[in-house]
C-alpha cells in the first residue's frame, strides 16, 4: 500500500509518479505490446491513495507542509481521480469498455461522436497538419496546472491519430514548455507531437530539437530580473502558498504567470487581493514607465507579458503569432492545406486566423457550447464543428487514426 497523502507536496509527487508509470504503459501499447500488469495495478494504488485523503464538505484536505506557515487547503481532485479511473477501465477491460464508460459519464456522447465523424467524412486523410490547444480541448480541464498529467488512454488515442492520420501534429499551449511545463505533463511517446509552449514561442520538435523565438536581449533581461524577484518573493513564508495553488508560478518564454487564486477559491479574498497589490508594486518598481510589461489580472492569475512589435505598434504575442512562427521555423507547410485546428476558448481563435491565412483548406473543431464563440469562429472559418467535451474530440481522433491504421 502506498504512503498516506497528507501534504500538497506529497500529492504533487504522487501525480508526477503517475506520469512516469503512464509514460511506460503508453510506450508499450504504441509498440503493439500489452500493458505490464504491475504498472497498470500501480495506477490502481495511486487512485486508492488519492481517495483515502480526508474530506470535508466534499473537498480533499491537504496541508501545505510549509514549516512556519502550515495550513490546510481544501481541494477538488476531480481531474486527477476521474482520469485515473478512466485509465484503469482502459487497462483492465479494454478500449470498448472505456468508450462505454465515457458514454456513461457524458450524456449524448455517442450522438456527438457520430456527428463529429460525419463532419469529418470528406476530409482526405492523412491531413497535412493538426494544430491543437491542450487544456479543455484534447485534455480534460484541471484547475491545477502542475497536476494536470495527461492520462494514458488520452495519450494512446492522440498518438494513434498523430502517427497515422496527419503529417505533422502540433500541441500548442500557453503553458511553458519545460521545468514543470508541457513536456513533463505529456506522457505520449516523444516524436508523435511537436510540443509548443508559451503560445508557440518555444518548441520541442518531433526529432527532439528545441527552439525558441528570439526575444530582444534588453527585454529578456528585464523579464529575468522580474522572475528572480518573484521567485524570491514566493520564498517568503507569507506568500509561499501561492506557488502551490492553481497556476502556481510559471516562467514562460516571454511571459510570467503568478496565481493569486484557484478555481476552487482556496485563498481568502482579502489575502488574494493583498498579494495582487504586492505583485503590482513589484512590477511598478521594475518597470516604472511601462516600457516592457503589460499585465492582465484574471482574478485567478496575474499574467505579466513582454510586449512585442506588431503591425500597429506594441501588441501581445498571441497563439496565431505562435502558429506562424512554427510554420516558418519547422516547415509545417500550412499553405498546402488539409489542416485541422482545435481549441476551446477565444484565445485559440488567432490560431484559426493564422491557418486560414495560409490555406482555405481548413477544418476546425472546437470544444465549446458558447454561442458567441461559435459565431466568431464561423466568421473566420466556415468549416467549423462543435462538441461539448474533450473526450468526444479525443475519441474522434482515435477513430480517425484507427481507420488509417
Ligand atoms: Mg484551452
Amino acid at each position: 500500500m502506498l504512503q498516506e497523502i497528507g501534504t500538497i507536496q506529497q500529492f504533487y509527487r504522487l501525480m508526477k509518479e503517475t506520469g512516469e508509470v503512464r509514460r511506460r504503459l503508453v510506450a508499450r501499447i504504441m509498440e503493439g505490446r500489452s500493458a505490464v500488469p504491475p504498472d497498470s495495478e500501480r495506477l490502481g494504488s495511486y487512485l486508492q491513495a488519492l481517495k483515502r485523503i480526508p474530506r470535508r464538505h466534499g473537498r480533499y484536505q491537504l496541508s501545505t507542509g510549509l514549516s512556519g506557515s502550515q495550513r490546510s487547503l481544501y481541494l477538488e481532485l476531480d481531474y486527477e481521480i476521474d482520469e485515473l479511473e478512466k485509465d484503469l477501465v482502459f487497462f483492465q477491460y479494454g478500449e470498448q469498455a472505456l468508450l462505454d464508460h465515457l458514454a456513461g459519464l457524458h450524456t449524448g456522447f455517442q450522438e456527438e461522436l457520430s456527428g463529429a465523424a460525419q463532419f469529418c467524412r470528406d476530409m482526405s486523410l492523412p491531413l497535412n497538419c493538426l494544430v491543437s490547444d491542450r487544456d479543455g480541448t484534447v485534455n480534460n480541464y484541471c484547475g491545477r496546472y502542475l497536476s494536470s498529467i495527461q492520462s494514458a488512454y488520452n495519450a494512446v488515442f492522440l498518438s494513434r491519430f498523430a502517427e497515422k492520420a496527419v503529417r505533422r501534429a502540433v500541441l500548442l499551449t500557453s503553458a511553458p514548455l519545460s521545468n514543470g511545463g508541457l513536456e513533463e505533463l505529456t506522457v505520449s511517446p516523444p516524436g508523435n507531437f511537436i510540443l509548443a509552449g508559451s503560445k508557440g514561442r518555444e518548441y520541442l520538435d518531433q526529432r527532439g530539437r528545441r527552439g525558441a523565438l528570439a526575444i530582444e536581449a534588453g527585454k529578456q533581461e528585464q523579464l529575468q530580473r522580474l522572475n528572480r524577484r518573484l521567485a524570491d518573493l514566493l520564498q517568503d513564508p507569507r506568500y509561499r502558498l501561492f506557488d502551490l495553488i492553481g497556476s502556481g508560478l510559471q516562467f514562460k518564454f516571454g511571459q510570467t504567470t503568478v496565481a493569486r487564486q484557484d478555481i476552487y477559491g482556496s485563498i481568502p479574498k482579502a489575502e488574494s487581493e493583498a498579494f495582487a497589490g504586492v505583485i503590482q508594486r513589484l512590477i511598478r518598481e521594475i518597470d516604472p514607465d511601462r516600457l516592457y510589461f503589460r499585465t492582465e489580472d484574471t482574478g485567478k492569475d496575474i499574467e505579466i507579458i513582454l510586449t512585442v512589435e506588431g503591425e500597429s505598434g506594441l501588441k501581445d504575442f498571441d497563439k496565431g503569432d505562435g502558429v506562424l512562427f512554427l510554420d516558418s521555423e519547422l516547415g509545417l507547410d500550412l499553405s498546402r492545406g488539409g489542416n485541422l485546428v482545435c481549441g476551446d476558448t477565444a484565445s485559440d481563435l488567432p490560431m484559426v486566423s493564422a491557418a486560414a491565412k495560409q490555406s482555405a483548406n481548413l477544418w476546425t473543431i472546437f470544444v465549446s457550447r458558447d454561442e458567441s464563440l461559435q459565431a466568431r469562429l464561423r466568421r473566420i472559418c466556415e468549416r467549423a464543428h462543435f462538441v461539448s467535451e474533450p473526450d468526444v474530440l479525443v475519441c474522434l481522433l482515435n477513430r480517425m487514426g484507427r481507420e488509417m491504421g
Side-chain angles (χ1 to χ4, degrees):
M1 200 161 91
L2 284 174
Q3 187 199 352
E4 299 300 315
I5 304 298
T7 68
I8 193 156
Q9 287 86 351
Q10 289 169 335
F11 162 72
Y12 281 131
R13 217 170 297 135
L14 176 137
M15 287 311 297
K16 201 170 173 220
E17 272 181 52
T18 70
E20 288 154 19
V21 172
R22 283 162 154 163
R23 213 164 277 133
R24 283 200 297 269
L25 286 164
V26 174
R28 285 189 65 99
I29 302 270
M30 293 314 292
E31 287 162 11
R33 299 189 290 166
S34 56
V36 213
D39 269 342
S40 47
E41 279 161 23
R42 206 155 170 80
L43 290 185
S45 42
Y46 292 134
L47 176 63
Q48 291 318 315
L50 290 184
K51 286 185 163 174
R52 282 198 305 272
I53 300 173
R55 255 174 293 184
R56 220 171 77 181
H57 308 302
R59 289 190 178 184
Y60 294 82
Q61 181 182 5
L62 288 167
S63 95
T64 58
L66 302 173
S67 53
S69 62
Q70 187 118 330
R71 58 193 261 195
S72 283
L73 280 179
Y74 297 91
L75 303 176
E76 286 179 20
L77 302 180
D78 295 2
Y79 173 85
E80 293 83 351
I81 288 177
D82 292 352
E83 294 300 298
L84 273 172
E85 279 174 346
K86 292 175 196 170
D87 271 352
L88 280 174
V89 173
F90 181 62
F91 288 114
Q92 287 175 347
Y93 305 105
E95 189 164 325
Q96 187 53 50
L98 175 66
L99 295 175
D100 295 342
H101 178 73
L102 295 176
L105 294 177
H106 311 300
T107 9
F109 179 82
Q110 293 295 2
E111 294 74 11
E112 275 201 37
L113 186 54
S114 318
Q118 183 71 8
F119 169 74
C120 297
R121 73 189 184 283
D122 295 331
M123 267 181 196
S124 73
L125 297 181
L127 287 164
N128 176 53
C129 195
L130 164 76
V131 179
S132 180
D133 164 58
R134 177 185 191 257
D135 300 297
T137 302
V138 290
N139 204 92
N140 282 303
Y141 191 76
C142 174
R144 261 170 313 278
Y145 159 69
L146 280 174
S147 57
S148 68
I149 311 282
Q150 185 182 20
S151 45
Y153 76 91
N154 180 287
V156 169
F157 286 10
L158 294 183
S159 295
R160 267 184 198 139
F161 177 82
E163 283 185 4
K164 307 282 186 194
V166 70
R167 206 175 60 86
R168 312 289 286 279
V170 183
L171 217 53
L172 198 158
T173 164
S174 61
L177 180 63
S178 314
N179 302 318
L182 181 59
E183 247 184 296
E184 283 87 4
L185 304 175
T186 300
V187 308
S188 45
N192 279 339
F193 279 87
I194 294 165
L195 301 180
S198 307
K199 298 184 182 165
R201 282 181 172 193
E202 48 174 353
Y203 65 83
L204 174 65
D205 78 3
Q206 284 156 310
R207 285 185 234 157
R209 287 176 311 197
R210 285 161 201 281
L213 180 66
I215 293 179
E216 237 177 86
K219 287 191 170 183
Q220 184 61 30
E221 246 165 61
Q222 293 300 323
L223 185 61
Q224 278 165 354
R225 204 174 135 217
L226 174 81
N227 286 348
R228 277 194 299 271
R229 294 286 301 275
L230 284 170
D232 287 347
L233 187 71
L234 289 186
Q235 290 299 313
D236 184 323
R238 285 173 297 170
Y239 306 128
R240 273 155 87 172
L241 188 58
F242 292 96
D243 201 8
L244 299 171
I245 58 141
S247 301
L249 175 63
Q250 299 179 36
F251 298 138
K252 304 171 185 179
F253 198 78
Q255 182 173 343
T256 294
T257 301
V258 199
R260 70 176 183 92
Q261 185 58 280
D262 61 15
I263 57 170
Y264 316 110
S266 307
I267 307 288
K269 198 161 178 269
E271 188 179 350
S272 165
E273 309 233 302
F275 181 64
V278 171
I279 299 289
Q280 294 299 351
R281 276 196 296 283
L282 176 63
I283 296 168
R284 271 201 300 279
E285 185 196 319
I286 292 180
D287 183 21
D289 301 321
R290 292 285 181 182
L291 293 175
Y292 304 106
F293 308 124
R294 234 185 37 78
T295 57
E296 230 173 74
D297 187 341
T298 68
K300 309 274 186 295
D301 296 336
I302 301 166
E303 301 281 0
I304 308 157
I305 307 154
L306 267 189
T307 48
V308 294
E309 297 287 347
E311 280 163 15
S312 49
L314 289 178
K315 73 180 271 276
D316 291 352
F317 187 92
D318 65 34
K319 286 180 165 184
D321 298 315
V323 167
L324 296 177
F325 166 63
L326 296 172
D327 189 22
S328 67
E329 179 87 357
L330 301 174
L332 301 179
D333 290 337
L334 289 176
S335 59
R336 274 171 49 165
N339 303 311
L340 170 64
V341 176
C342 300
D344 75 312
T345 61
S347 66
D348 299 318
L349 292 175
M351 298 200 293
V352 181
S353 307
K357 259 186 232 159
Q358 305 303 308
S359 165
N361 185 3
L362 174 67
W363 305 72
T364 54
I365 304 178
F366 267 52
V367 181
S368 175
R369 283 281 164 240
D370 177 339
E371 283 175 15
S372 79
L373 179 65
Q374 293 189 354
R376 286 175 69 189
L377 176 61
R378 283 212 168 89
R379 279 199 289 277
I380 309 169
C381 173
E382 281 177 9
R383 216 147 45 182
H385 189 75
F386 302 91
V387 296
S388 56
E389 297 287 340
D391 282 337
V392 178
L393 177 55
V394 170
C395 290
L396 171 76
L397 296 175
N398 178 47
R399 194 187 266 195
M400 287 159 75
R402 277 201 172 280
E403 276 166 16
M404 294 297 288

